[in-house]
Amino acid sequence: MVKPLNPALLLTDATNRLSCSLFRLSLPPSSSFHIFTYHLSTNNPRVFGPHSVNMALWGNNKRDDDDEPVSHNGDSASHVVQPRDVDERTRLLPPPSQGYLSPDDPAVSPYNLWSVRFLRYFTVLFTVITLLWWVLLLVSIFVSPPGMHSRGSGFFDFSYTTLTLGLLLLGLMFFSSPSKAAQVSCLVVAVVLLVDAILIVSVPRLRVEEGWVGIASVVWALLIAVWTVTTDRIVAWGKREEEERLTGRAESRRTLGEWTSVFVSTVFLVIMAAVAVLLTATLILRSRDASLAAPGHRYYVDGDKYQIHIFCEGSTNSTSSSGKKLPTVLFESGDGPFESGMFAVAENALANGSISRYCYSDRPGFGWSDNAPSPFSAGMAADVLSEALARAGEDGPWILASAGVGSIYSRIFSSRHGTAIKGLLMVDPLHEDLLYCLGSPNRGFLLWAWGIISPLGLDRIPAAIFKGRTREDRVYGRSAYQNGKYIKAKLQESLVAGSLTKNEVSSARHIQLEKTPLALISSGIEMKRDRQWGKKQEDLSHLTKKLISWDIVSKAPSEVWRTHEGRQTIEKRLKELVHA
């Protein structure tokens, strides 16, 4: 069946042929004018010279050279285009794509640019370096490598390195999805880290405690934050350049996957910015605390690696009725700094003449003392105390007064100083058989986790703002347990409590002189609460063969000096030991 012709198409075709004929006649014979036409089936442009205009327009070109392969993109003959005669289905306008790729084509990528690939390779390199540094700092919390000991807690440099590693990992995960939100967040982190670096370098005490490890960590974090911002901007530029080159325009829309990437990266970067702000707030509190002057003096110990704070008060020339020099009472605190514990007892005993002179030291990490390298046992603490006392010019003789776990340290000190120890006063002491409580894995893990988040100041900052906690509270008072140095000291104590420390105190018991006078004061509440505790208190009463007294303060807690009866009992026994 013959298909009827469409009159409209016939009229259009006749009009086009007439127009082209008139156009051809109007061209001068020597004209070099070229006409571009598009192949009807492949949308490929073809160029015809002045002698082939008529044939191109009417589709009657029979020349052999028109059958030569024509490249689709102008530079390759892999895709051969064959000419086709014009008919009623011929498109009069060129195709809209003009050979561009779709914006969703995987080939449209900023990775096409060598500069973007260069940035990614270096980001991977920086990530590997930061990861190695992060692992080294993690290990140094438990075992200090040579030359890497910091006199502070070591938790701040670990926090800065963790923040740096997070920035790099986020940058790699969302490398090809740059956004303004990510750039602004990283810029905020960089500015805050710059403030942190200035604080650490400008405040002498912070500079000493953080050391070169802490300074290097915060400076590296600052540089990586700036690198992240720069990388994100360059990738955004490269993405825009490739979109314009391959699709014809910069893409303003994002796919669902890209929006998800931008949202996730922005959320994590905002969290990191908040972490950086909290670190700065904690550093400001530490700067404020550093202005609190120590009552005594700091002395270098252990090859000048760190300093121990020692305070002494009273007369050095006091003598007994027989003309002998009265011993100095050397206090050892329990679970917390001495200043918030038995300090009031010592001052009152000195004021009423029960004792003539006393000294105390802050164990490493407590009060004004630096943290010691890890691991750190009670025997090591006794050795550095002996060194610090020698540097301070204090040579005894001594009456050792201790409380709680501090009795472990005093007993080891006593065993190593023999006849220089004139008496022992132990207030609700901890028995060596109960050291496993301090060294339990659960307690150690909690202390480590607590130390890791301590630089955020989640407890210190609200306490300072809403509860009015002062620098005295944070250094040695009721908020001292929030201090990173204190947490590090308790972690070190826990790590070796069941091994090194227990072996040292067990040896000390055999070395202890049997003729040393001993006074024991126990908590009545603890004795009733825990029968095992009571049995261990009884065992400690046989530490020497010269027990002066064993007092049980019925209504006193473990910190016996918190009650009036407890304070009176302590002062009474101190007076007996000093003037014995």
Side-chain angles (χ1 to χ4, degrees), residues 318 325-329 356-357 396-399 422 577-579:
S318 299
K325 181 182 178 181
L326 292 177
T328 300
V329 179
S356 60
R357 181 174 173 79
W398 308 104
I399 298 291
K422 300 302 181 181
L577 289 172
V578 169
H579 296 278

Side-chain angles (χ1 to χ4, degrees), residues 167-372:
L167 287 174
L168 288 169
L169 291 177
L170 277 178
L172 289 175
M173 291 173 61
F174 307 105
F175 192 83
S176 59
S177 300
S179 66
K180 288 291 184 181
Q183 295 172 20
V184 171
S185 300
C186 288
L187 188 60
V188 170
V189 172
V191 171
V192 173
L193 289 174
L194 177 61
V195 174
D196 291 354
I198 294 174
L199 279 174
I200 292 176
V201 173
S202 60
V203 178
R205 192 61 197 167
L206 294 183
R207 186 171 63 249
V208 166
E209 290 183 354
E210 295 302 321
W212 75 267
V213 176
I215 295 175
S217 297
V218 68
V219 170
W220 179 249
L222 171 60
L223 294 177
I224 292 301
V226 174
W227 170 267
T228 304
V229 175
T230 305
T231 300
D232 202 76
R233 290 182 62 86
I234 294 177
V235 173
W237 166 82
K239 188 173 184 293
R240 184 172 59 254
E241 287 290 317
E242 286 301 285
E243 287 173 348
E244 291 178 353
R245 185 175 70 89
L246 298 176
T247 68
R249 64 185 178 88
E251 188 63 34
S252 58
R253 65 179 179 85
R254 293 182 185 269
T255 64
L256 179 60
E258 289 176 331
W259 276 119
T260 303
S261 298
V262 171
F263 175 76
V264 173
S265 64
T266 302
V267 168
F268 278 102
L269 286 172
V270 168
I271 293 175
M272 290 183 181
V275 168
V277 171
L278 291 175
L279 290 174
T280 304
T282 307
L283 274 179
I284 293 173
L285 287 180
R286 288 181 59 191
S287 302
R288 172 64 178 163
D289 298 342
S291 63
L292 184 63
H297 299 280
R298 297 186 180 98
Y299 298 95
Y300 278 103
V301 294
D302 192 14
D304 295 345
K305 292 179 182 177
Y306 59 99
Q307 291 180 318
I308 295 296
H309 171 245
I310 289 182
F311 175 80
C312 294
E313 188 175 9
S315 174
T316 58
N317 300 319
S318 299
T319 58
S320 63
S321 56
S322 60
K324 292 184 178 181
K325 181 182 178 181
L326 292 177
T328 300
V329 179
L330 180 60
F331 286 95
E332 186 69 49
S333 65
D335 283 331
F338 176 79
E339 293 85 354
S340 64
M342 297 176 66
F343 181 77
V345 175
E347 285 290 306
N348 194 58
L350 182 64
N352 60 30
S354 298
I355 60 177
S356 60
R357 181 174 173 79
Y358 77 90
C359 293
Y360 74 85
S361 71
D362 290 324
R363 289 202 298 273
F366 286 22
W368 285 272
S369 292
D370 299 330
N371 281 105

Side-chain angles (χ1 to χ4, degrees), residues 394-439:
E394 300 289 339
D395 54 359
W398 308 104
I399 298 291
L400 303 183
S402 57
V405 68
S407 62
I408 298 292
Y409 296 84
S410 288
R411 287 171 56 188
I412 296 174
F413 185 89
S414 174
S415 68
R416 297 180 181 183
H417 288 78
T419 56
I421 308 303
K422 300 302 181 181
L424 293 172
L425 171 65
M426 298 191 296
V427 180
D428 207 39
L430 176 69
H431 196 279
E432 61 267 26
D433 291 343
L434 301 179
L435 280 172
Y436 70 89
C437 299
L438 296 181

